[in-house]
Amino acid sequence: MSRTFAIIKPDAVERKLTGKIISWMENAGLTVVAMKRLHLTKKQAEGFYAEHSARGFFGDLTSYMSSGPCVVAVLEGENAQPKWRDIMGATNPANAAPGTIRKELAVDLEKNSVHGSDSETSAAREIAYFFSELEVV
Ligand code: ADP
Ligand code: MG
């Protein structure tokens, strides 16, 4: 059993796709072991995406991620980190495989509906950014 971190991004929350995306998680055998709805500040979004701070899209990305509520979650299961990335699909929905969340639901490259940690190390950092140990059950 391992854990990963997920975000249902503002474009998906606004379109009332939260429940549908939670079903996608659960149907894949992942367990939601923590979840909450948040409206990130610009600063919180910048801290979360610090690894991308030198990229040209950083300003737009952090404005979008702080533009409305999102839902953050910790998922647990066998190979949770790579499994959740597989279910999400490629970053650009145009390149995402059929049946993945991004292919079916995403708006565009930026508003791509979901986030998932890219490694076990990122997962640990990202979980700790949003949740205390007491909130993960
Ligand atoms: P992923 O979310 O698949 O791990 P990245 O970590 O590379 O992708 O990028 C983080 C987020 O930044 C993406 O999910 C997407 O919302 C946004 N993004 C990535 N690349 C671009 C780009 N070239 N233009 C605009 N937004 C981008
Ligand atoms: Mg990433």
Side-chain angles (χ1 to χ4, degrees), residues 4-131:
T4 194
F5 175 74
I7 304 179
I8 302 172
K9 293 184 175 182
D11 71 271
V13 171
E14 187 187 4
R15 290 179 292 143
K16 301 202 182 296
L17 296 171
T18 302
K20 194 169 187 171
I21 292 171
I22 295 170
S23 291
W24 229 298
M25 295 165 171
E26 294 188 331
N27 289 340
L30 294 167
T31 303
V32 179
V33 292
M35 179 168 270
K36 59 190 170 191
R37 177 173 156 113
L38 293 175
H39 190 150
L40 297 180
T41 64
K42 176 94 166 154
K43 280 230 172 324
Q44 288 168 334
E46 287 169 354
F48 179 71
Y49 278 118
E51 62 172 319
H52 293 315
S53 60
R55 308 286 286 277
F57 59 81
F58 185 67
D60 280 349
L61 171 63
T62 52
S63 291
Y64 153 60
M65 289 299 291
S66 56
S67 67
C70 63
V71 173
V72 297
V74 181
L75 307 179
E76 189 174 83
E78 226 170 280
N79 299 314
Q81 185 275 320
K83 180 179 274 186
W84 174 235
R85 290 289 303 199
D86 282 351
I87 297 162
M88 285 167 45
T91 305
N92 188 341
N95 304 328
T100 61
I101 294 174
R102 283 166 164 173
K103 183 64 172 189
E104 305 301 327
L105 304 181
V107 177
D108 57 31
L109 171 57
E110 178 183 76
K111 295 175 180 58
N112 58 5
S113 302
V114 281
H115 167 84
S117 309
D118 63 8
S119 68
E120 300 277 345
T121 307
S122 298
R125 181 187 84 84
E126 293 172 1
I127 290 168
Y129 192 81
F130 287 104
F131 293 99

